[in-house]
Amino acid sequence: MLARGVVRRFRDGDPAAVRTVYRSYGGLVFGVAYRVLGNRALAEEAAQQAFVKAWRAAGTFDEERELGPWLATIARRVAIDVLRSESRRGGDPIDSADDDDPALTTQPPSAEAVYEVWEVRSAVAALPEDEREVVRLQHFEGLTHAAIAERLGVPAGTVKSRSHRAHKRLAGALGHLQ
Amino acid sequence: MATSDDDRIAYLTGEDPASLPADERAALDELRGLLADRSTWEEPRPELEDAVVAAIASEVEQPHAEARRRVRGQRRGRASRGIRRPRPRLAMGALAAATVVAVALLISQTGGGTSKRPLQFAMVVSGTPLAPGAHGSATLTKTASGWRVELAASGLPHLEGGLFYQAWLKNAAGVLVPIGTFNDARHVTLWSGVPVTKFPTLTVTRQRADGNPASSGLRVLLGTIRAAH
């Protein structure tokens, strides 16, 4: 949760407040955009646009609400616009494909799916660094506990206990997704 | 209840407790899928922070920004979707794509003289807005086995870790034929079983190894033979 007054200063375009909002939510906004677009460069562009759109619309935002879900909604919408815009682009007469061209067919994830990404990123970000790394290596890189221990240079028992603690925290934070 | 929680956590850590019901297993598999998803772990470049601050500062400094915001606020009441303004970088990309000169040269053809050379075309390929810095060329040669497509393009990153490039040939009706996958576009040999004279457009898409063989639609390179016959 941001300190009181940050949203108001963000709305005013105060660069320090913009940085504060970005540092709190930049990764999450980027993650949502990445989930929709599957492309780093486009996700960064969509994230930038999302923050600009959020600034433009900040006058309508109720400071008592949590900023995150509102930004997630904007990020998803902007990312889908970018996706559609990119999909429609052609380069020459032969390539002026219809929207139902199989080369252009993409289905953006649902709002629910995107919000799950947001929640999982939030929960992962809240883990202590050493536990987060174990979770990343296990799930994203697909390593076993033994391989993680070797990678990190720690005993296998340490990896196992970190993994257990981390997943206990995640299960608690994301119980509603299970 | 405590046992059940322990089972769930054990399943998340990679164990396989036999007592865990199938429906809970399925729900936890979804969570495991999210934890394995790139979008959970990928981070933007540090430069994005400055870009966001600069973009908003630029809007703040525009002389009629407040008036525009008020208008947008009014429009938002009439339409659920926001105003879409041209994005400078993408607009540049679109312009570049629109002006792509996909040059095709009939380099050589079966000659009337004593030496017979293979039917061969050359093509310039250009980056799309997804890869505006990419460019290169392709040579397309008819052989007894099919058409050999030799692509050499720079400005595209090496892809791995479940990501790869896929090349396609496309005809005027929009039918796509895959001609190969690769990680690095700097020097690639691809093969086509359809004639490039009938499928004169070459595209390269960025793909993810997710079991879906269809094009991702994320085209990064594009070129067309115009003079093919």
Side-chain angles (χ1 to χ4, degrees), chain B residues 46-147:
Chain B
E47 295 91 325
L48 184 59
E49 178 178 332
D50 286 339
V52 166
V53 173
I56 292 177
S58 156
E59 295 252 339
V60 172
E61 288 165 8
Q62 287 177 29
H64 303 295
E66 186 57 35
R68 281 202 305 278
R69 288 177 65 188
R70 278 199 296 273
V71 170
R72 287 193 185 99
Q74 290 162 6
R75 286 181 184 169
R76 251 193 311 276
R78 295 196 294 270
S80 59
R81 295 185 61 169
I83 310 295
R84 296 183 62 190
R85 301 195 321 160
R87 298 187 300 275
R89 194 179 76 77
L90 290 183
M92 292 286 285
L95 182 61
T99 56
V100 160
V101 180
V103 179
L105 298 171
L106 184 59
I107 292 179
S108 61
Q109 208 166 0
T110 303
T114 53
S115 64
K116 281 199 165 185
R117 289 179 295 174
L119 185 60
Q120 190 176 65
F121 295 90
M123 173 193 291
V124 171
V125 292
S126 301
T128 68
L130 287 184
H135 64 279
S137 62
T139 303
L140 306 96
T141 308
K142 187 178 183 181
T143 77
S145 305
W147 284 81

Side-chain angles (χ1 to χ4, degrees), chain A residues 10-13 15 18-19 22-23 26-27 30-31 34-35 37-42 44-45 47-49 51-53 55-57 59-60 77 81-82 84-87 89-92 94-95 97 101-106 116-117 120-121 124 132 135-136 138-140 145 160 163-164 167-168 170-171 174 177-178, chain B residues 6 8-9 12-15 27-28 30-32 34-45 48-53 55-56 59-60 65 69 72 76 80-85 87 89-91 94 97-100 129-130 163 170-172 174 176 200-201 203 206 208 215-219 222-226:
Chain A
F10 172 78
R11 188 170 55 215
D12 294 340
V18 173
R19 283 191 193 280
Y22 178 87
R23 287 174 187 173
F30 171 80
Y34 193 96
R35 178 69 179 84
L37 293 158
N39 173 284
R40 163 182 284 278
L42 288 180
E44 288 184 351
E45 180 170 332
Q48 180 175 328
Q49 286 184 44
F51 276 105
V52 172
K53 278 186 183 283
W55 172 76
R56 287 179 189 156
T60 65
R77 196 173 297 152
D81 282 348
V82 169
R84 289 178 177 154
S85 172
E86 290 299 311
S87 297
R89 287 179 197 284
D92 57 72
I94 291 177
D95 207 68
D101 185 321
L104 307 180
T105 301
T106 46
E116 284 176 357
V117 170
V120 171
R121 276 190 76 114
V124 164
R132 182 166 59 247
V135 172
R136 190 185 71 81
Q138 179 186 329
H139 292 282
F140 184 56
H145 284 173
K160 195 170 180 182
S163 176
H164 182 82
H167 287 96
K168 191 172 183 180
L170 290 175
L174 301 168
L177 297 185
Q178 300 167 32
Chain B
D6 285 345
R8 280 195 283 269
I9 292 164
L12 285 174
T13 62
E15 295 172 27
L28 290 168
E30 284 188 30
L31 180 53
R32 282 169 35 156
L34 285 165
L35 288 170
D37 195 282
R38 187 172 291 272
S39 58
T40 298
W41 301 100
E42 201 73 46
E43 292 292 340
R45 288 172 304 145
L48 184 59
E49 178 178 332
D50 286 339
V52 166
V53 173
I56 292 177
E59 295 252 339
V60 172
R69 288 177 65 188
R72 287 193 185 99
R76 251 193 311 276
S80 59
R81 295 185 61 169
I83 310 295
R84 296 183 62 190
R85 301 195 321 160
R87 298 187 300 275
R89 194 179 76 77
L90 290 183
T99 56
V100 160
L130 287 184
L163 295 177
K170 183 175 169 180
N171 68 9
L176 284 172
T201 298
T203 61
R206 194 163 12 211
R208 182 187 297 276
S215 166
S216 65
L218 297 171
R219 284 177 294 179
L222 179 65
T224 296
I225 296 171
R226 283 183 180 157

